[in-house]
Every structure is written in structure tokens, then in C-alpha cells.
Amino acid sequence: MATEPEPQGPVRRPPLRPPEQSVRERERGARERALRGAYVAAAARGMPPPTSDSAPEWLEPAMAANGIGSFDWDIRRDVLEGDLRACSILGLDPDRFDRSSDAFLALLHPEDAPVVRRRVERAVAELGQCGAYYRIVAPGGQMRAVRFRGRVLADVEGRPSRMVGFIWDATAELHKRTRADRMAVLREERTRFIKEAARALSEAVTVRDVARVFTELPLPGRPPDGLVLASLENGRLQILGATGYRREAIQPYDRAPLDARHPAADAIRTRVPVFLASRDEYRERYPDAWPRVSPLGRRSWAFLPLIAGSRPIGVCLVSFDDDRQLDSDDRILLSTLGGLVGQSLARARLHDAEHELASGLQRVMLPRRVPPVPGTTTAVRYLPAGTGLLIGGDWYDVVPLPGGHVGLVIGDVQGHDVHAAGVMGQLRIALRAYAAEGHPPAAVMARASRFLADLDTGHFATCTYAEVNVEYGVVYAVRAGHLDPVVRRVDGSTVVQPVVGGLPLGISPEEEYKVTRFTLDPGEVVVLTTDGLVEARTLDLDEGMDRLRQAVGGPLPETAKGVEPLEALADRIAAEAAESAEREDDIALLLMRWDGPAGGLPQQQLRRRIGQADLARIAELRGELRDAVSRWGVGDLADTAELLASELVTNALVHTDRDAMVTARLYRDGDGSARFRLEVEDDSDQWPTRRTPGEQAASGRGLMLVEALADSWGVEPRGSGKRMWFELTAAPG
């Protein structure tokens, strides 16, 4: 029960007067009551008590007219007395009422009695005033609200002696206050609801989000029993979301033409909400629409038009299972909700349209499919940026090349907007054309850089282009300001493959790019990606590359029957990127696994062509050969193999005028031993001659070294030219 801030005191009833009183006694009683009332009134105002001769004649009629009773509590004797009106207000029988303060407190509601006791005790201690609302429980169980005000009087020595005051029935007053409090709480709930609805709808991005938020909104007061959100599309209502209705009940309305005799049509046409408080009102105002609505069991409705930019875009339906005459506050609340939903829906529709446009443009710019190339398996993924138009300049491509080779392209045009996507589309097509014409990787990259510079778009692009010799697993890679590839070995380990880098495309038209060669074993995977996967404002490049290596390495994901493991690996990488809160840029991802040619190859092989004028290539061959032998598990043979290979290749280039083809293979025997064989082929018919050089001779010792260090060696004719070879044997591991 709501109480006033001032304290409250107990109430005492007056003694019951016998029914047979003389006229003189009645007159004397009236004078005493009037005097007591004047005494109480003066005390309540802090004035000196009146004498018997100063009681105003109007006091008793005034208190009677206003239903006010008076009480007098003798504090020392703990005796309560009150006039007949006080007893009537409290519902007491004066003959059977114990006039002690404890008996009075026993009449009060259990929640109010402690409050009254504390306030009266404080007033007595401070010689002050007190007052309160409290509830009285009558003997018959009825409950009424009472209000009193009293003041404590002191005796001549300054000690508390009496409390005198007024009492009156406050049931109606308290109900009014209760209703006001309830309305205040409801208004607060409505205000809080509008704030929460506005926040939730402002965070809704798509049309589906808006429908979900609307159908889950907890409306204040008695909540509705049904909610439906529908958009207006070419004169038809498309239901976006609903709750409280069976699907089959609202299905006939979905995508159906809007009936002009329906309340939803009225709301959309007039742009004013339509409120129907009962089934009779619905039937009377919309007789043609009523037969379809009647079986649904609703009894009152609100149709709220959704307006955006002075144009109707849909309607909300709020329905109830009982007759409900919505008051002005309810209608204002629902109208405000309709406005919020309309603005949010308009924004979400624009977002969905932009997203669809961006997605369509991105699909056109990127390859529709990756062409299959025998001997390789590829997987690609594209993830749009987390914000903005969800379109960007990242791209990938797989280009079949002459001679059974395949070109892998990964690139990123600066920016992630429509302009960047347009530049990306042009550059992708140009680079693909240069590669398909058969130009070597360095020439492809240089021509693409000149092409982008000539476009004069103000954009630059990073790119990695790799040409893969599918027959031998040799990769020729060129990098223009882009990330190095990551290679996944057959055992699940990973390594970042260094590739010599150059300037991004479009910055220097005359830039010359260098080629880096590396080899793959069957089953190894090359991973090419853009920087959106490994770099962000809160993520540096080294940490991002470590994360990528962890995602690429380790056991391959378990797959269902018929699912390519490489696709599952691409899904794992993309899923980790999509779940990252650090991602801000779009991402292109290209994975290629070298399976070997269709006819198969020995388990491990390295094949290189050494140009006649490219003597520096011999040093590169030595490094590649050392790496290959180590990867094949026979690293103890690396030094000998490197030395003997240099001798045979140098012999072929010095004594002929043609290129040399170097092939290195490792064979596994049944007893667990391994046999390393290296062959050097040339087109010269000149047979090598073993000589014994003089002490000061600068050459002639090559074949002597081969004969001394190799387990076996030889020279074989091959129709046109010859083949020199040597073999090294490694003991079982």
C-alpha cells in the first residue's frame, strides 16, 4: 500500500453511548465533541487549545459534512477514544472494542501495522506530527483504506501526554492514487518499450532481421495474441514474419492481391491506423473481409500502415483474443511502433537490394567455375567484406595454359567498392589473356602492370601469378607486392614459400619481375590468399600468417562420402575467417593440390631445364636439389648429389651448344633402401671422354669425381643426343 511520507498513529474509538440519553446529556455531549474537535484542530495547526467557551459552532457541522472523525489517545494510560464518525469509518463496534493501541494495531493490514507503529513512536519521541494511509481489515474480511493526521501534545513538564487528530475514509482517494501509480508504471513501461524497440530495430540489418525483431517484441500491458508483418510489393502483400497464427491460416494472404475492402487496404490507402475493438465492429465495417477472418478466433485488431518517405511500403497487424477498446495511449504506442518498423523495413529493403546488386556484380567479375586440369585439384572461396557494399577488388583465377601447364592467379585491387570491383574485372581479363597466349610468368606480370597503369584509374593492385608444370610439379611464381604462397606438405606440415617480390601492378609500367621456381611432390597443396585473411587493424601480418599455417596444416578435416578433402580444407579456412571479429576486408582464397600427371610418376622427382646461356641456373639447381633430397628423407646424400650434379650439368653445357634437361628421381626398394638417380640429357652426339688431367690443369676432373663418388654411373645414347647418369644408394632407414 502506498503511504505518505509523514508518520501515522493509531486510532481510538469513543465509548459507546447508551441509546437512552436526556436532551441535556445530548447537548452536553455535542458540546464536548465540538470542543474536542476544536481542540484537535488547534493542536493539528500548532495553536493553543481552545477553552470550552471558544469552540466554534461551525466545527461540528463541517466535520460531519466532510465525513471526518476525531480521536484522542491518552499516551500514558494507553486509552484511545474517538467520536462516532471515527468508529464508523473504522467499522468498529464501540461496545466490543478494546481501546488499547495494540488492539487498534491488530485491525491494520499486516504490511501496514509496523509502519504505523514506527511513525507514531517517532512522533511521540519528537513531540511532532504523523500521518499515513493504512488499510483496515474489518471483522467480516472487508478491507478499506483510511487516512489520519495527528499531533502529540506535551504536559506542563514537556513530556508527551496525548495525541489528538482527525481520521477519514480514503478508499476512493487511495484507489485513485493506485490507478495513477499504475498508469505511471505503464507509461514508464511504454517509454522503455519504445526505446528498446527503436534500439533493436536500428540494429536489424536485413528484412529478415526486421521481421524477427518485430515478431519478438514484448509489448507492455496485456500483450497481443498475434503479430503479422507484411510488405507491399506491386499491389500484393508479402508476409515477412508472423507469430500467434498457424501457417496455414495466413498462407492464403501471402503474395495475394490486396483487397480494397480489407482493413489493411484502408490503412495503406489512408496512411492512418485502423483500430477494430470487437468482432461486431469488424463485421459491420468490413463485411466482405469478415468471413475469412471469423474462423481465426481473434476479437480485436489494429492495422498499422508502414510509411517510409511518404510512401506506404507495408502493414503491421496486431490482434487480441478479447474485445479491447484501445485508449489514446495505446493507439499512440502502436502508431509509434508502426513508424519505427516502417523506417527500419525501408532501410533493410535498401540494404538487401544493395547486397543483391553487389553479390551479382561480384559473381559476374569472378569466374563462374574453375576449369578442371588433369593432374591437379583446385578449390576456391570468396568472402565479401564485413561492412560496406560487400564487394571489393579481390579475385582469383585458374587458367589452362599451352603445353599442359596451368596458371594460378590471386590478386587484390586497392579498395572494396564498386570502382575497385570494376578495375578488378578489367585486370583479371587482361591478365588471363596474357597468360593464355603463352607468355612466361615474368612477361605476364609486366604486361598486366602496364595495362593497369594505362587505365589511369588511380588504383594499384597486388598479385601473385604461378605457372605450374603439371607433368613434373614445377612451379614458376611471380609476386607483385602480394603475399608469399603457403605450401602444405603431404605429412601435414606447412611452410611459407619465399617468392622474389616486385612492385604492385600499376605503379611502375617498366617494372621487371623475377621468377622463383620451386617444386611440389604429389599430394602437396599450394595456398594463395589475399591479405584480408591474414591482416587487420588488430592483427599483424606475422600473426595472421601463423594462423593461416595452423588452419592449413594438421590433419585434413573429416569429410562425408564423396566430398573432396581439399574442399573441406577450403571450408575450414573460410569458416575460421568468417567467424573472426577482426575481419574488415574481402578475401579471395585459392588452393591447388598437385596430384601428378594422369599416367603417374615415380614417387619423388625433380625435373629442370638449364638454358645454354643460363649458367647461373646451375646454382639454383643445386639449392633445389638439396631441398628435394632432404624432403625425400635421404638428406645424407645431399652433398654428394649436389657436387656430382654440378659436374654433369657443367659438362653438358660446356661441351655442347644446346640446353640440358636434368631429372632427379628417388626409388624405394623392397628392403627399405633408397636409390637416388640423376640424369642429364643433351642433344649433342659428342661422347664424354675420361681424361687424366695434369697437375696444373683447370678441368678434366669431372668424370673422375663421378666415378669415385657415385655407386654407379654411365652414358646412354637417346637417339638424338645422349643421357649421362649416376646413382647413389642410401641404406635402409
Side-chain angles (χ1 to χ4, degrees):
M1 184 188 85
T3 58
E4 291 184 342
E6 55 266 7
Q8 168 183 347
V11 176
R12 282 294 179 137
R13 289 179 302 207
L16 180 66
R17 292 173 174 78
E20 56 280 346
Q21 288 181 324
S22 66
V23 175
R24 181 172 297 178
E25 288 175 338
R26 293 193 188 98
E27 291 177 352
R28 185 172 60 251
R31 285 196 302 271
E32 291 177 353
R33 288 193 299 273
L35 181 59
R36 186 185 298 115
Y39 187 90
V40 169
R45 294 195 299 270
M47 299 174 62
T51 64
S52 59
D53 297 332
S54 62
E57 297 181 357
W58 50 263
L59 181 59
E60 176 66 19
M63 293 175 63
N66 289 278
I68 299 175
S70 62
F71 69 89
D72 181 358
W73 177 38
D74 188 328
I75 298 175
R76 296 174 182 174
R77 294 190 299 124
D78 190 23
V79 176
L80 275 166
E81 292 189 5
D83 61 15
L84 293 176
R85 278 191 298 275
C87 291
S88 175
I89 292 170
L90 296 175
L92 298 177
D93 183 351
D95 289 333
R96 290 190 289 271
F97 175 60
D98 180 357
R99 297 175 182 174
S100 68
S101 58
D102 289 337
F104 166 74
L105 290 173
L107 298 174
L108 273 59
H109 191 281
E111 295 178 359
D112 300 338
V115 177
V116 172
R117 178 184 292 276
R118 287 195 302 271
R119 293 187 177 183
V120 170
E121 289 175 350
R122 185 168 65 247
V124 170
E126 298 174 356
L127 293 177
Q129 300 184 54
C130 63
Y133 287 98
Y134 55 82
R135 291 167 290 181
I136 291 291
V137 181
Q142 302 88 357
M143 187 177 297
R144 67 176 65 186
V146 176
R147 185 178 182 185
F148 87 94
R149 291 186 66 86
R151 184 180 183 88
V152 177
L153 302 178
D155 58 15
V156 293
E157 298 179 359
R159 294 176 300 178
S161 173
R162 318 179 70 83
M163 173 180 280
V164 293
F166 299 117
I167 184 172
W168 64 93
D169 191 321
T171 303
E173 182 180 347
L174 185 60
H175 287 174
K176 183 177 180 180
R177 282 189 59 178
T178 303
R179 285 195 300 272
D181 292 342
R182 187 167 57 249
M183 292 304 298
V185 171
L186 184 58
R187 282 194 295 270
E188 184 178 351
E189 290 179 355
R190 287 168 172 165
T191 301
R192 185 167 56 251
F193 166 76
I194 289 297
K195 290 180 180 179
E196 293 177 355
R199 178 192 55 78
L201 289 170
S202 67
E203 295 174 356
V205 177
T206 66
V207 170
R208 179 174 295 182
D209 293 339
V210 174
R212 176 185 54 78
V213 170
F214 172 73
T215 54
E216 294 177 357
L217 286 176
L219 272 74
R222 289 183 297 170
D225 301 287
L227 294 171
V228 179
L229 176 65
S231 65
L232 185 62
E233 305 286 348
N234 300 320
R236 295 174 179 265
L237 284 179
Q238 179 182 352
I239 296 178
L240 306 176
T243 183
Y245 285 93
R246 299 189 310 275
R247 182 177 180 82
E248 57 271 16
I250 61 175
Q251 189 64 34
Y253 293 96
D254 191 20
R255 301 183 186 278
L258 185 61
D259 189 349
R261 296 162 295 183
H262 194 276
D266 264 3
I268 291 175
R269 183 180 64 257
T270 62
R271 304 178 188 178
V272 175
V274 174
F275 299 100
L276 302 172
S278 65
R279 295 169 66 88
D280 292 339
E281 184 179 358
Y282 196 123
R283 183 169 48 248
E284 180 180 350
R285 292 179 59 180
Y286 302 98
D288 295 330
W290 174 248
R292 299 179 65 181
V293 175
S294 176
L296 301 182
R298 298 299 189 270
R299 301 189 64 86
S300 55
W301 302 261
F303 293 87
L304 312 174
L306 305 180
I307 309 298
S310 72
R311 183 173 60 88
I313 61 172
V315 66
C316 293
L317 168 61
V318 182
S319 60
F320 305 90
D321 280 345
D322 56 349
D323 292 347
R324 192 170 300 191
Q325 188 69 47
L326 300 175
D327 59 23
S328 60
D329 288 341
D330 291 329
R331 298 190 177 200
I332 291 173
L333 175 71
L334 292 175
S335 300
T336 303
L337 175 61
L340 293 175
V341 174
Q343 295 298 321
S344 182
L345 180 61
R347 184 177 62 253
R349 290 173 64 176
L350 179 60
H351 172 274
D352 286 356
E354 291 177 345
H355 183 269
E356 181 62 28
L357 174 63
S359 299
L361 180 59
Q362 194 75 55
R363 287 193 297 268
V364 171
M365 294 297 182
L366 294 174
R368 296 184 59 185
R369 67 180 185 88
V370 176
V373 177
T376 66
T377 303
T378 55
V380 294
R381 296 292 184 272
Y382 176 80
L383 280 73
T387 58
L389 253 188
L390 308 183
I391 188 172
D394 291 22
W395 89 95
Y396 57 79
D397 209 349
V398 178
V399 187
L401 302 176
H405 294 195
V406 61
L408 308 177
V409 186
I410 196 81
D412 182 4
V413 175
Q414 168 198 8
H416 50 89
D417 51 19
V418 174
H419 192 194
V423 174
M424 176 269 285
Q426 298 178 75
L427 182 59
R428 183 182 77 84
I429 293 171
L431 196 148
R432 183 183 181 90
Y434 296 143
E437 288 176 356
H439 297 290
V444 170
M445 197 69 83
R447 290 176 181 234
S449 182
R450 286 194 293 272
F451 173 81
L452 182 56
D454 291 342
L455 288 179
D456 194 23
T457 62
H459 284 67
F460 65 84
T462 63
C463 181
T464 294
Y465 173 67
E467 180 180 331
V468 182
N469 185 326
V470 179
E471 183 178 358
Y472 301 111
V474 182
V475 181
Y476 305 89
V478 183
R479 188 168 63 89
H482 204 76
L483 302 174
D484 286 319
V486 174
V487 177
R488 173 191 166 92
R489 304 299 188 194
V490 178
D491 61 0
S493 62
T494 60
V495 62
V496 177
Q497 176 62 52
V499 175
V500 178
L503 292 175
L505 305 180
I507 291 181
S508 175
E510 305 304 323
E511 176 77 3
E512 295 184 0
Y513 296 91
K514 295 183 179 180
V515 178
T516 299
R517 302 175 180 86
F518 60 94
T519 59
L520 300 173
D521 287 337
E524 292 186 339
V525 178
V526 177
V527 180
L528 302 175
T529 185
T530 53
D531 58 358
L533 184 62
V534 297
E535 195 172 18
R537 284 182 297 180
T538 58
L539 180 69
D540 62 45
L541 182 58
D542 291 338
E543 183 181 355
M545 290 299 290
D546 288 341
R547 288 189 185 182
L548 175 60
R549 290 182 57 188
Q550 292 174 9
V552 172
L556 288 173
E558 296 184 3
T559 60
K561 184 177 180 180
V563 177
E564 168 59 47
L566 194 66
E567 292 288 340
L569 179 60
D571 287 338
R572 182 171 74 184
I573 299 171
E576 291 185 7
E579 294 172 358
S580 173
E582 300 160 337
R583 186 170 65 86
E584 301 166 341
D585 200 358
D586 49 338
I587 296 172
L589 178 66
L590 170 59
L591 284 69
M592 192 247 10
R593 184 183 66 224
W594 183 57
D595 302 320
L601 281 176
Q603 184 177 3
Q604 285 130 341
Q605 172 177 290
L606 174 67
R607 189 173 175 87
R608 294 289 183 270
R609 178 176 293 277
I610 308 298
Q612 177 63 218
D614 191 10
L615 297 181
R617 183 71 182 96
I618 300 177
E620 296 180 13
L621 174 65
R622 287 199 297 266
E624 293 178 1
L625 186 61
R626 176 175 289 275
D627 292 341
V629 171
S630 298
R631 285 191 286 110
W632 297 345
V634 288
D636 294 342
L637 304 178
D639 292 337
T640 304
E642 183 180 347
L643 174 60
L644 299 186
S646 297
E647 293 298 333
L648 291 189
V649 172
T650 302
N651 186 75
L653 295 179
V654 170
H655 298 290
T656 67
D657 58 357
R658 303 289 180 89
D659 297 346
M661 178 63 71
V662 181
T663 303
R665 297 186 177 95
L666 186 71
Y667 298 91
R668 302 285 183 180
D669 296 330
D671 59 357
S673 62
R675 183 165 46 91
F676 174 80
R677 180 183 177 94
L678 185 136
E679 301 173 351
V680 179
E681 300 177 3
D682 61 62
D683 294 335
S684 173
D685 294 329
Q686 182 180 354
W687 211 254
T689 302
R690 183 181 182 279
R691 295 180 296 155
T692 302
E695 184 178 344
Q696 302 298 322
S699 63
R701 298 182 177 84
L703 293 183
M704 294 178 62
L705 289 173
V706 173
E707 183 179 27
L709 299 177
D711 292 319
S712 60
W713 72 284
V715 182
E716 301 172 352
R718 50 179 296 270
S720 175
K722 61 182 179 299
R723 176 188 296 115
M724 298 183 64
W725 60 271
F726 69 85
E727 290 186 355
L728 301 173
T729 303

